[in-house]
Amino acid sequence: MSAPAPEVALPAVAARTRAQRASGPGERVIELGLAACSAVSIVVTVGIVLVLVFEAAEFFRAVPLTKFFGDTEWTPLFKDNQHFGIWPLVMGTLVTSAIAMAVALPFGLLAAIYLSEYAAPRTRRMLKPALELLAGVPTIVYGYFALTVLTPFLQQFIPGLAGGNMLSPGIVMGILIIPMVSSLAEDAIYAVPDSLREGALGLGAGKLPTILRVVVPSAWSGIAAAMTLAVSRAIGETMIVAIAAGNQAKFTTDPREPAETMTAYIVNISKGDIPNGTLEYRTIFAVGLVLFAMTLTMNLITYRLSRRLRAQSRA
Amino acid sequence: MTLPSPPPTTEPAMKIRVSGLKAWFGTHEVLKGIDLPIPAREVTAIIGPSGCGKSTFIRCLNRMHELVTGARSEGQVLLDDTDVYAPEVDPVLLRRRVGMVFQKPNPFPSMSIRENVLAGLRLTKRMGGRKPAEVCEKALRQAALWDEVKDKLDKPGTSLSGGQQQRLCIARTLAVDPEVVLMDEPCSALDPIATARIEDLLHDLRRDYTIIIVTHNLQQATRVSNRTGFFLQGELVEFDLTDKIFTSPQDRRTEDYITGKFG
Amino acid sequence: MKPGPPPIDISGRREGVWFERGFVWVCRVAIVLPLVTLVWLLGGVIARGLGRIDLGFLLDAPSQLDATTGGIWPALMGSLWLIVITAAVSLPVGVGAALYLEEYGKRTRLGTVVEIAIANLAGVPSIIYGMLGLGLFVRWMALGETVIAGALTLALLVLPVVIMSSREALRTVKDSLREAALGLGATRWQTTRHVVLPMAIPGILTGAILAISRAIGETAPLVVVGAVAFILYAPDGLDAEYTALPMQIFQWTSNPRREFLTNAAAGIVVLMFTLFLLNSIAILLRNRFQKRMY
Ligand SMILES: Nc1ncnc2c1ncn2[C@@H]1O[C@H](COP(=O)(O)OP(=O)(O)O)[C@@H](O)[C@H]1O
Ligand SMILES: [Mg+2]
């Protein structure tokens, strides 16, 4: 387990570097180049905000915020009777995301507990990558599945389930998110020091009470971070809902009904023939801005929580 | 400041009898056949150089050793007259009679001081008709912590100082009413003042409990224990009344160790 | 003497044993059920689509009229153009950024801000990247709805992935090696170029392949930056119109005529097979890499 490489590699490096000692200004240029590469991330972040705010500002010049947030009808494409109330889209997003979380949270947490506390090392080595596969399937494929397989399947049991509905894509989104929840929650559970498990077992507590009442609560901030990240992912998920949720901007909480999420709306406008620069077209930036604000909020909470987790595990 | 030892003529009742105890981590044999009777309601100290198997030994007594992957053990440990390694014995139930205090204080960070004390009973669903406030106060008084925390029972357990945390862990252990309390170097992470408090505590506790304490501090062994066992490389070299071990050890190696020739 | 209840019978029955057994079974189900769904999904797609795949399906242009003829050639070529350009842009920039953050920019002002930006970007929905691409590349830079605009958008999308996996790879190189090289009088860049990078390359490549897999499956940002849903020709330059495999699948899936779903399934089989190949390569690479580690 020693490190044989330095002895092999370094003499060659030494010879080369001695020959190239006089590379002062070159060094500086390279460092600047690399710094520029890393600055791209900042440019992208700023770019996103600028593009969204800029175009959305144009939109809000024509449609006041009171109409945007004070109306529950969304009919921007109607010739007459145009309404720009964002709530139907927000509701579609929230309902599908809630369904996704209702699937991903219990499944992901149970999987995490099983993998970290019960599974034999061999089982764990097999199951973990298998679960990760779920996250590697493109969302377009999940969308196809939700529309053509899951919805007809569910219609056998759930009367009144529309062909495009919120339930089926919500469930499929949940499945997609399970590995994210389980792997982050597992990391958090894994980070709980063994001394706490031993403390509880030493009191004569069984394994399950130890896990549920000592280990999991101690991993709380990490598990909460997994949840907020999953919510953010669900809110931003696009193709599954664009394909399977029915694309009707209805203000409803009934998961059997069709709906349109914010993301699906953006897709539907983008693929259509609405000319650039029209008010209808600018709606997607207003919607995009709301979407961005929602995911950013979740991401900031996640960031806070995981910083707390790191501080804890250092203590 | 040695203790008045129990009268040497009457052999006390034995709480635990260990015979032929061997333990392994993987293929590494850490205990090589230990025979040791542990008297009831006394403090038994285990001393020896680091790595000699002291922790492993006491972790075999409440079957915590087997929780480490790859760890196993062999031999007999009788608690009263039941072999704790008998197949029908549930180690979880065993640990309710043989409690443990660890080297590093490990209060549960998600729980308040009160909840920490009650954790054992709640986790094992044994609160029954007991009044939480009474259980809590009794255990904290036993652990000589009551006066310091009675006004902040709802603060997190981890908000206490190291010495207080360790006494909280002792209170937590006492609250489940064990018969035997195992302590693995309970003062090694504490300052001298906190150490003194815990040593005082041991004097009171041995009226009610059988206590086995691992310590690398020889003075501590002389101060708190009735009997002392000296471990070396997985073997029990000598076991006797503490006075005898420290004044007239029978084995050369014991003498070398307590006079500071090694370890 | 301590009065008290009689000692617990340690050979007795304990509360909650059956509950725990039940719980563990529930956990097992919670892991297996999603995997069963995955098998159901893949099985269904293969059953429906595999029979549709032949040479014509791979090499022909799609047909809007007849679901039983036509294929995915323009989409395949579009995807190929996209990922080659995406890789060519995101890899150098991403690895450069990772090098800066790991080898130069620790604890600098820029480094800290970049860290935050990356953490944030990793959580931005892909469709928002599409809107950035639309505003930045399609409109402002006036690239139009072209291959290059789509590829640049995807490059920005996978950039955080490339940066994070490259940093991971750079972190596996031991500091003692850097110090040894610096101690021999090598400059920072010489150390990075000749000692650190060669050792991190397999890890970086593995991450790059995973980033590419992500780009291949992306649909939403391409819709926004104007990949066309139906096109008969493969792109012939950076400024060509284009479609991509997931776009083609999307178009077939949302086609009101149900018989096109068979084509969608066949397209999915091709897409999944491609991803399977890429991931196998990544795993092989990682395994070889791990064997060379000591
Ligand atoms: N978890 C473990 N895995 C493998 N070996 C261990 C483990 N814990 C302790 N050991 C080894 O067992 C021996 C005895 O350890 P321990 O009982 O902790 O000694 P002590 O408490 O007397 O210092 C030591 O050689 C130690 O290296
Ligand atoms: Mg020890």
Side-chain angles (χ1 to χ4, degrees):
Chain A
M1 298 291 279
S2 65
E7 287 88 324
V8 187
L10 289 178
V13 175
R16 212 172 331 175
T17 51
R18 249 177 254 121
Q20 305 172 350
R21 275 313 281 272
S23 50
E27 285 283 323
R28 192 79 195 124
V29 169
I30 284 164
E31 181 169 350
L32 282 177
L34 296 178
C37 288
S38 75
V40 170
S41 302
I42 302 175
V43 174
V44 173
T45 308
V46 174
I48 288 174
V49 175
L50 281 185
V51 166
L52 290 178
V53 168
F54 220 73
E55 299 275 352
E58 293 288 312
F59 171 80
F60 286 119
R61 207 161 291 156
V63 178
L65 279 169
T66 48
K67 282 205 173 148
F68 192 64
F69 288 114
D71 191 344
T72 55
E73 265 187 86
W74 179 258
T75 54
L77 302 189
F78 285 11
K79 282 275 159 343
D80 34 49
N81 195 24
Q82 253 184 342
H83 283 273
F84 295 99
I86 183 82
W87 292 110
L89 301 185
V90 171
M91 191 55 94
T93 294
L94 290 183
V95 172
T96 49
S97 299
I99 295 168
M101 292 308 293
V103 172
L105 214 57
F107 279 81
L109 266 183
L110 290 172
I113 290 174
Y114 182 77
L115 289 175
S116 60
E117 305 285 323
Y118 285 102
R122 247 192 77 207
T123 323
R124 185 168 177 277
R125 272 200 302 276
M126 276 168 44
L127 286 180
K128 247 184 92 95
L131 269 185
E132 301 292 337
L133 283 182
L134 289 171
V137 175
T139 56
I140 178 91
V141 179
Y142 278 119
Y144 168 92
F145 178 72
L147 179 74
T148 68
V149 182
L150 192 59
T151 294
F153 177 76
L154 291 175
Q155 277 170 331
Q156 297 171 13
F157 314 103
I158 304 175
L161 186 69
N165 60 76
M166 293 190 272
L167 183 62
S168 169
I171 292 173
V172 170
M173 236 156 60
I175 294 172
L176 163 73
I177 294 171
I178 288 173
M180 173 188 267
V181 175
S182 72
S183 80
L184 288 174
E186 201 197 332
D187 290 347
I189 290 173
Y190 186 81
V192 173
D194 266 343
S195 65
L196 296 182
R197 293 182 182 82
E198 292 200 328
L201 294 173
L203 292 170
K207 189 169 178 176
L208 185 58
T210 299
I211 293 168
L212 295 184
R213 296 173 66 179
V214 173
V215 177
V216 169
S218 304
W220 180 84
S221 58
I223 291 172
M227 277 162 51
T228 51
L229 200 63
V231 171
S232 162
R233 179 73 208 268
I235 291 174
E237 177 44 47
T238 307
M239 294 320 290
I240 300 176
V241 278
I243 290 175
N247 293 326
Q248 294 175 35
K250 278 196 191 177
F251 186 66
T252 173
T253 54
D254 184 348
R256 295 170 304 176
E257 298 258 332
E260 188 167 44
T261 65
M262 296 189 278
T263 51
Y265 175 76
I266 297 171
V267 161
N268 288 327
I269 293 298
S270 303
K271 75 175 185 195
D273 308 317
I274 316 287
N276 285 350
T278 60
L279 183 63
E280 291 82 350
Y281 197 80
R282 290 211 170 100
T283 54
I284 68 170
F285 290 94
V287 173
L289 187 61
V290 175
L291 174 67
F292 181 70
M294 285 171 74
T295 55
L296 185 66
T297 310
M298 297 318 289
N299 294 343
L300 287 178
I301 298 174
T302 310
Y303 185 70
R304 274 287 170 86
L305 288 168
S306 49
R307 239 191 10 193
R308 183 185 307 179
L309 178 71
R310 252 177 284 139
Q312 260 174 18
S313 56
R314 247 184 276 121
Chain B
M1 215 193 95
T2 29
L3 297 162
S5 298
T9 42
T10 52
E11 266 305 305
M14 291 300 157
K15 185 69 184 175
I16 293 179
R17 277 170 233 267
V18 179
S19 47
L21 180 65
K22 297 179 172 186
W24 291 263
F25 284 107
T27 55
H28 176 35
E29 188 176 21
V30 177
L31 294 179
K32 299 166 183 164
I34 305 289
D35 300 287
L36 182 64
I38 293 165
R41 294 196 185 78
E42 282 191 11
V43 176
T44 302
I46 306 289
I47 61 169
S50 153
C52 67
K54 306 182 295 292
S55 298
T56 309
F57 173 71
I58 65 165
R59 288 167 61 90
C60 283
L61 301 186
N62 71 343
R63 294 185 62 176
M64 295 283 284
H65 175 64
E66 67 201 46
L67 294 174
V68 178
T69 33
R72 67 195 172 87
S73 62
E74 197 175 90
Q76 209 179 34
V77 176
L78 296 180
L79 173 68
D80 293 329
D81 287 311
T82 323
D83 182 0
V84 306
Y85 282 98
E88 69 274 9
V89 167
D90 183 344
V92 172
L93 291 175
L94 168 68
R95 291 179 203 129
R96 293 176 193 177
R97 291 178 62 181
V98 185
M100 188 157 201
V101 176
F102 299 84
Q103 189 164 351
K104 248 182 75 187
N106 56 353
F108 302 130
S110 56
M111 299 185 190
S112 67
I113 293 171
R114 187 203 315 275
E115 288 165 337
N116 261 286
V117 176
L118 298 174
L121 289 175
R122 290 201 167 139
L123 287 170
T124 58
K125 290 207 164 67
R126 288 189 299 156
M127 273 312 280
R130 275 176 269 212
K131 294 213 171 58
E134 280 170 21
V135 175
C136 187
E137 177 171 348
K138 182 174 168 232
L140 284 169
R141 280 191 191 281
Q142 276 185 301
L145 188 60
W146 174 251
D147 292 330
E148 290 159 62
V149 301
K150 62 172 184 259
D151 299 323
K152 48 178 179 181
L153 291 174
D154 292 313
K155 290 264 168 62
T158 42
S159 66
L160 298 174
S161 73
Q164 290 174 324
Q165 286 190 14
Q166 191 64 301
R167 277 179 284 148
L168 176 60
C169 292
I170 292 174
R172 187 174 73 182
T173 304
L174 298 181
V176 300
D177 243 350
E179 298 149 50
V180 181
V181 178
L182 310 172
M183 299 186 162
D184 190 354
E185 306 198 23
C187 304
S188 70
L190 307 183
D191 61 58
I193 296 171
T195 301
R197 301 217 53 162
I198 289 186
E199 288 180 9
D200 287 345
L201 179 60
L202 288 173
H203 288 225
D204 301 334
L205 291 180
R206 73 177 167 169
R207 264 183 293 129
D208 294 333
Y209 302 91
T210 301
I211 295 172
I212 303 168
I213 178 170
V214 170
T215 176
H216 58 214
N217 179 337
L218 301 180
Q219 275 74 45
Q220 184 170 62
T222 62
R223 284 193 300 262
V224 302
S225 71
N226 308 89
R227 284 164 210 266
T228 297
F230 171 56
F231 276 58
L232 188 62
Q233 291 179 356
E235 287 178 80
L236 177 67
V237 174
E238 196 169 345
F239 177 62
D240 212 326
L241 291 172
T242 301
D243 281 349
K244 275 204 182 155
I245 290 276
F246 283 95
T247 52
S248 51
Q250 302 300 301
D251 195 292
R252 198 42 215 281
R253 292 168 293 174
T254 315
E255 188 175 345
D256 287 349
Y257 181 69
I258 61 175
T259 54
K261 292 225 173 79
F262 70 92
Chain C
M1 278 257 340
K2 186 177 57 160
I8 299 160
D9 175 13
I10 58 176
S11 320
R13 283 200 164 278
R14 167 169 44 109
E15 80 291 337
V17 173
W18 284 101
F19 182 71
E20 176 158 12
R21 262 183 224 173
F23 178 84
V24 173
W25 274 107
V26 171
C27 286
R28 293 200 177 105
V29 171
I31 291 187
V32 170
L33 205 59
L35 295 178
V36 168
T37 317
L38 181 63
V39 172
W40 186 17
L41 184 163
L42 293 178
V45 166
I46 290 173
R48 188 162 192 169
L50 196 60
R52 177 69 179 77
I53 298 175
D54 51 24
L55 216 55
F57 184 73
L58 296 177
L59 298 183
D60 288 348
S63 159
Q64 243 173 341
L65 305 172
D66 183 3
T68 58
T69 63
I72 55 173
W73 178 248
L76 271 185
M77 286 295 107
S79 280
L80 187 64
W81 274 84
L82 285 175
I83 61 163
V84 168
I85 303 167
T86 299
V89 174
S90 66
L91 278 188
V93 176
V95 174
L99 282 175
Y100 180 78
L101 292 172
E102 286 300 311
E103 311 291 328
Y104 291 83
K106 280 187 182 152
R107 278 184 276 285
T108 63
R109 185 75 147 288
L110 178 65
T112 319
V113 179
V114 171
E115 299 267 2
I116 296 171
I118 292 172
N120 170 52
L121 286 180
V124 170
S126 62
I127 192 156
I128 298 283
Y129 281 94
M131 305 189 77
L132 171 69
L134 177 62
L136 185 64
F137 302 126
V138 177
R139 299 272 191 72
W140 192 65
M141 292 170 69
L143 296 173
E145 300 180 336
T146 56
V147 176
I148 182 72
L152 288 174
T153 305
L154 289 182
L156 296 188
L157 172 72
V158 299
L159 193 59
V161 184
V162 176
I163 295 177
M164 287 193 286
S165 59
S166 304
R167 294 184 71 181
E168 211 66 57
L170 291 172
R171 271 186 223 135
T172 63
V173 181
K174 291 195 185 66
D175 269 344
S176 57
L177 290 183
R178 294 184 179 85
E179 281 152 20
L182 290 171
L184 288 171
T187 62
R188 187 46 74 189
W189 173 246
Q190 286 163 343
T191 305
T192 303
R193 168 77 188 76
H194 297 295
V195 178
V196 178
L197 256 188
M199 297 197 64
I201 280 284
I204 292 175
L205 282 182
T206 310
I209 294 177
L210 297 180
I212 294 300
S213 321
R214 165 100 194 266
I216 290 184
E218 274 297 343
T219 321
L222 293 182
V223 179
V224 180
V225 294
V228 280
F230 183 80
I231 191 170
L232 290 174
Y233 305 101
D236 55 2
L238 292 178
D239 59 348
E241 285 191 301
Y242 65 104
T243 190
L245 192 47
M247 280 297 293
Q248 184 67 64
I249 295 167
F250 180 39
Q251 202 256 340
W252 276 328
T253 306
S254 42
N255 194 313
R257 283 169 57 195
R258 308 286 291 175
E259 61 267 31
F260 279 100
L261 286 177
T262 307
N263 289 4
I268 288 173
V269 172
V270 175
L271 177 64
M272 293 299 288
F273 182 72
T274 314
L275 291 178
F276 173 76
L277 272 187
L278 278 171
N279 280 282
S280 307
I281 294 171
I283 289 169
L284 280 180
L285 212 86
R286 185 181 316 170
N287 289 349
R288 275 196 57 185
F289 177 45
Q290 271 166 355
K291 259 182 232 135
R292 283 205 305 137
M293 294 292 285
Y294 21 81

